[in-house]
Amino acid sequence: MSDPAGEVVITQRQGPILTVTMNRPKVLNVLDEAMADALVAAFSGLAADQTIRAVILAGAGRSFMAGGDLARFQADLPGAPQTATKLIDRFHTLMRLIKAMPQPVIAAVQGPVAGGGVGLALACDLVVAAEDVSFLSAYTKLGTSPDGGTTWTLTQLLGPRRALAFVLLNEAINTQTALQLGLVNRIVPHGELMATARAMADKLAHGSVGAQGASKALVQAAAHGTFDAQLDLEKKAFVANAGAADFREGITAFFERRPPKF
């Protein structure tokens, strides 16, 4: 575990599971350049690290992330475009890393989640939410539009009409509504958030890396591809997995009536 003193991002390794915690709790983990750089550093290289089989992304304190650090803009309003470019470039690098890595990433979210925090949570593969979570867009209240892939993810999950309403009306979505809309996978009491995320990560960590990575890529491709193209992608992935050791173990375990050992 890295030394938490002064660290804006803390990483903790537990066997095949890596927990990455945003650590600016006094300001609700709002994103500045330093934290964005630290997050990119934490996720860089994970795709090629076969010893890490699942990742949890969390936020210290009472909020997962409440968006970007607006104080950075207030300090130099004329230079806002340049500040935005620097921050968004880092933020979008993080998003691409999360989407491209084969390992599943679980967001463990709590408290008010706003702006880029919404995009970051929804960019993860699975979301476990504490009972006190609320999601708020907030961008248009500041006179700007969303970033972090938020418009893409919201449109995929909610459809264009609901996605646009969420962005334009700036009405918070509570945890139960988020579950009904498919924004989160599970709701748990606040005190059980990390334990639930770790149990989920442990289950994934003992699954087939190849099968899970291929499934993640296929679901992402399905969001923008045609049915016919998806059939070809599924065939290619299945055939590739059929030649791997995990498939041989899975088939053998099935006929031996025992859990597979991936």
Side-chain angles (χ1 to χ4, degrees), residues 1-243:
M1 182 174 181
S2 61
D3 182 1
E7 295 289 337
V8 293
V9 170
I10 301 169
T11 58
Q12 182 181 15
R13 175 79 180 264
Q14 292 178 304
I17 299 169
L18 181 70
T19 300
V20 179
T21 304
M22 296 174 284
N23 190 38
R24 301 185 73 204
K26 292 182 180 180
V27 291
L28 304 184
N29 297 315
V30 292
L31 189 76
D32 63 2
E33 289 93 333
M35 192 163 82
D37 283 339
L39 285 167
V40 169
F43 278 87
S44 293
L46 289 185
D49 188 347
Q50 297 182 0
T51 68
I52 298 292
R53 302 182 66 153
V55 178
I56 300 170
L57 178 61
R62 67 184 187 90
S63 171
F64 172 75
M65 181 203 276
D69 191 345
L70 301 183
R72 291 285 293 107
F73 295 100
Q74 184 186 36
D76 180 18
L77 284 174
Q82 292 74 30
T83 300
T85 298
K86 293 177 182 178
L87 188 57
I88 291 174
D89 282 348
R90 292 167 165 84
F91 194 36
H92 287 186
T93 296
L94 172 64
M95 297 296 185
R96 290 185 172 103
L97 288 169
I98 290 172
K99 286 295 187 183
M101 60 191 289
Q103 301 96 326
V105 181
I106 302 167
V109 302
Q110 79 281 358
V113 181
V118 177
L120 181 57
L122 299 184
C124 297
D125 302 302
L126 299 170
V127 181
V128 180
E131 293 172 321
D132 65 344
V133 164
S134 65
F135 293 104
L136 179 68
S137 176
Y139 285 99
T140 58
K141 290 179 66 175
L142 299 172
T144 190
S145 51
D147 61 354
T150 308
T151 54
W152 187 91
T153 309
L154 284 173
T155 302
Q156 299 301 322
L157 293 171
L158 304 180
R161 193 171 299 278
R162 283 178 172 171
L164 192 57
F166 177 73
V167 172
L168 295 184
L169 298 179
N170 288 298
E171 296 173 348
I173 294 177
N174 63 28
T175 316
Q176 288 294 336
T177 302
L179 180 65
Q180 293 169 3
L181 293 174
L183 299 181
V184 305
N185 297 94
R186 191 171 301 174
I187 302 172
V188 297
H190 193 283
E192 299 177 13
L193 178 63
M194 290 309 298
T196 302
R198 290 191 188 100
M200 186 180 291
D202 184 68
K203 182 176 183 179
L204 293 169
H206 287 86
S208 167
V209 174
Q212 291 178 165
S215 298
K216 175 175 175 175
L218 285 167
V219 169
Q220 290 184 36
H224 55 79
T226 65
F227 181 75
D228 190 59
Q230 194 71 10
L231 291 176
D232 292 335
L233 290 174
E234 288 179 347
K235 175 186 174 182
K236 182 178 179 180
F238 193 109
V239 171
N241 279 309

